[in-house]
Amino acid sequence: MRGHTGVTSHLILRGRGTTAHFEGRSVLLEQNGTHRHIPVRAIQEVRAAGARGDRAEIELTSAGGDPTVFVVTRSSPAAVTAFVSAVTSALPERRAPRDGMELVSEETSAAPAWRLFLTRHSGAVAAAVCAVVLWAALVVYVAATGEPGQWLMPLFGALILLAAGRYLQLAGGIMRDHWSTRRNGITVAATSAGRNSARKEIWRFTDAEGRARTYVGSGKIVSRDPRRIEVRYDPRHPDKLYAPQPVLVYVVVGVVVTPMLAGLLAMGVWLTLWQLVDVLMG
């Protein structure tokens, strides 16, 4: 009977991509990352549907237009029957003729970090997967048709290429921050505030909005009393900080690191692709 005031057990109805929790005076609906709190006074009817009765439909009240209906599909018919019975017994006898969605509160949970990464870097992830598949095929082919132990060389080559690629990624990020903050950034003087547990120097400054900020790392010294460096940040991406480095750092990178990196890339390619060429020509 509707209007029942007794204690109703907490029911959970799980379906395909949707879960409904009934807690006596409301239904909590989790669907596609969105959490909806639906009070019973916003519900017009709850019914079982589908040929097997494995679908629950939650119809909200309306002000004369088409009502909103939430659906929980592919659930247990017995669970749907129990859910419909429990929610129906809790519905008030009288409900205002209003749009039930006005009483529903929604909250969208943040997507997992791995999902955000895949979404933002879908092209890079697809390229990486293709590269791994091709590399695995290369190793198998060399192992099957090459000299004994020759298949180990592509393994070492892949490790070298990964190390070089990681360095290129880090260097690319630094250069990107350098140019973006130079074009669109704000430069401030940050004052030394000691070192952290990793012995990295801490620099503090106040940005244009008056917020206290911290930069950890090294930079070009512009003042020694007090000890200060320049720090740049982009107002559009305030969490990305960049500190210009002494000229010697750029010289070392250009004269020493760049040729070494080129050598590693060449060695990695030789240990991987050249082994395939050697097997094909042999």
Side-chain angles (χ1 to χ4, degrees), residues 138-181:
L138 183 152
V139 172
V140 171
Y141 184 81
V142 171
T145 60
E147 298 292 334
Q150 191 176 10
W151 63 273
L152 289 172
M153 300 183 76
L155 293 179
F156 293 127
L159 293 177
I160 293 175
L161 289 176
L162 286 175
R166 176 57 177 166
Y167 179 84
L168 284 174
Q169 181 186 20
L170 294 175
I174 292 173
M175 294 305 298
R176 182 175 60 251
D177 292 342
H178 170 77
W179 290 112
S180 66
T181 56

Side-chain angles (χ1 to χ4, degrees), residues 230-282:
E230 286 186 0
V231 175
R232 298 199 298 246
Y233 69 94
D234 189 339
R236 301 171 304 175
H237 307 285
D239 292 336
K240 293 184 178 180
L241 306 176
Y242 177 80
Q245 301 297 315
V247 176
L248 181 59
V249 173
Y250 298 109
V251 172
V252 170
V253 171
V255 176
V256 179
V257 177
T258 300
M260 183 178 64
L261 180 62
L264 287 175
L265 289 173
M267 182 181 296
V269 172
W270 180 80
L271 288 173
T272 53
L273 297 181
W274 180 249
Q275 302 309 309
L276 176 62
V277 173
D278 182 61
V279 169
L280 293 175
M281 294 179 63

Side-chain angles (χ1 to χ4, degrees), residues 1-9 22-25 40 86-93:
M1 177 177 74
R2 293 186 180 183
H4 175 64
T5 59
V7 177
T8 303
S9 298
F22 177 56
E23 298 182 341
R25 304 305 303 170
V40 291
V87 177
T88 300
S89 68
L91 296 180
E93 292 289 346

